[in-house]
């Protein structure tokens, strides 16, 4: 054996590499005499231990007290971001933060992104404003009374108008620089017909179902065929907005009617509750998202507009749907215009200004005070600046979608 070969074998033995015999008769005779093997002297791989750091080892009682005090002290943006920072430290911090932070209906504040799809507070509305950018056809929803000078307001939602041959689409996203429906920041969309007189609101996730409806959905999911997980996104029809046609050009403001299919009319009754989602659901993992959800009468909802490459599924109506209507304005003789009391939140006269109240069936046990409460108001305060105030049972996304319909051209409704 040459010195070079001897040195190579020593190096292989040192590195723990299994010795392989040379090809030929000597190797075959060696394998026939024994079936022993020389295994490398290595320790079996151990499961990787996730290191969360020293902050994860704080006593739960102390951590609970710390996060509760932080959450109570941070009432507005951008200081509210400290609550989000606490939820980003580790899993134990996030779990406790999610338990402490309440929904907008309970605390009147927006914290996590899911808050934008949860109903607003019952007593006082959440006040926001919308900034319109004509050059890019984008509409940005911010949290706050009026725009600040340092541009430090919190961006809640962003929408981009896309004109099509058959109508107009408003794609809603959590960010202002990405409106792709395949992105995780996609929230939903608003689609109009050709005349701009009717709109359909779509949500990126299905609405909250009751226990019986969830059981029915699970049975159908078990028998459903699996589809390709490369589907970009899915849409669920959650409501419609209709503007009354004004072909005769009679004098008067726009008249609109909103049917919220995902909100039952009983939610405004004494002790009623509106559906409240707790987390964003991904359609990429739902193999049943291509199946239409039946309505209360066992039929599918009527979708009037042309479909796209993404799935558009009607929701399962939760009983009788909530209907919103315009609050009737009064004619001001001195100003010679229609007027509404916006309580100082609207300062410029515009055809886009409106207030919505619940259109309640007399058979429902709803007080007159509850019927007169303004659920959503929208109005102009400056060039391309509008205020939006909403409350229970609407969410920020639903209110924003209704307001977006006011920006579309309506030649037959003016």
């Amino acid at each position: 054996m040459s010195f070079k070969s001897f040195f190579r074998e020593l190096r292989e033995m040192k590195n723990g590499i299994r010795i392989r015999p040379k090809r030929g008769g000597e190797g075959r005779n060696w394998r026939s005499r024994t079936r022993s093997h020389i295994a490398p002297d290595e320790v079996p791989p151990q499961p990787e231990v996730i290191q969360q750091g020293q902050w994860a080892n704080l006593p739960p009682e102390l951590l609970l007290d710390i996060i509760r005090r932080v959450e109570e002290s941070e009432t507005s943006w951008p200081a509210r971001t400290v609550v989000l920072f606490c939820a980003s430290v580790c899993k134990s911090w996030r779990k406790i933060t999610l338990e402490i932070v309440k929904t907008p209906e309970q605390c009147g504040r927006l914290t996590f992104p899911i808050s934008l799809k949860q109903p607003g507070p019952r007593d006082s509305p959440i006040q926001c404003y919308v900034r319109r950018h004509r050059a890019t056809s984008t509409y940005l929803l911010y949290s706050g009374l009026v725009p600040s000078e340092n541009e430090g307001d919190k961006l809640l939602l962003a929408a981009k108008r896309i004109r099509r041959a058959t109508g107009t689409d408003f794609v809603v996203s959590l960010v202002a620089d990405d409106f792709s429906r395949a992105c995780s920041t996609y929230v939903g969309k608003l689609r109009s017909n050709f005349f701009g007189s009717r709109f359909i609101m779509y949500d990126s996730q299905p609405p909250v179902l009751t226990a019986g409806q969830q059981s029915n959905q699970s049975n159908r999911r078990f028998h459903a065929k699996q589809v390709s997980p490369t589907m970009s996104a899915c849409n669920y029809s959650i409501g419609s907005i209709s503007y009354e046609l004004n072909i005769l050009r009679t004098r008067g403001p726009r008249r609109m009617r909103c049917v919220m299919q995902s909100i039952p009319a009983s939610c405004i009754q004494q002790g009623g509750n509106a559906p409240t989602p707790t987390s964003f659901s991904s359609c990429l993992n739902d193999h049943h998202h291509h199946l239409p959800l039946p309505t209360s009468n066992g039929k599918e909802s009527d979708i009037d507009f042309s479909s796209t490459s993404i799935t558009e599924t009607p929701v399962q109506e939760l009983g009788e749907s909530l209907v919103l209507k315009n609050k009737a304005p009064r004619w001001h003789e001195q100003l010679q215009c229609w007027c509404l009391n916006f309580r100082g939140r609207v300062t410029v006269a515009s055809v886009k200004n409106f207030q919505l109240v619940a259109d309640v069936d007399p058979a429902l046990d709803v007080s007159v005070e509850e019927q007169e409460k303004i659920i959503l108001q929208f109005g102009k305060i400056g060039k391309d600046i509008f205020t939006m105030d909403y409350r229970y049972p609407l969410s920020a996304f639903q209110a924003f979608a209704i307001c977006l319909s006011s920006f579309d051209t309506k030649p037959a409704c003016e």
Side-chain angles (χ1 to χ4, degrees), residues 30 83 89 104 146 153 159 170 210 266 276-277 291 296 315 347 353 395 404 411:
W30 182 81
V83 181
V89 174
V146 292
D153 296 330
F170 290 88
T210 61
S266 60
T276 304
L291 296 176
S296 57
V315 305
T347 58
N353 302 344
S395 65
L404 289 175

Side-chain angles (χ1 to χ4, degrees), residues 289-305:
H289 68 274
H290 66 296
L291 296 176
L293 300 177
T295 58
S296 57
N297 57 2
K299 298 181 181 180
E300 296 179 12
S301 298
D302 185 18
I303 305 300
D304 295 341
F305 314 137

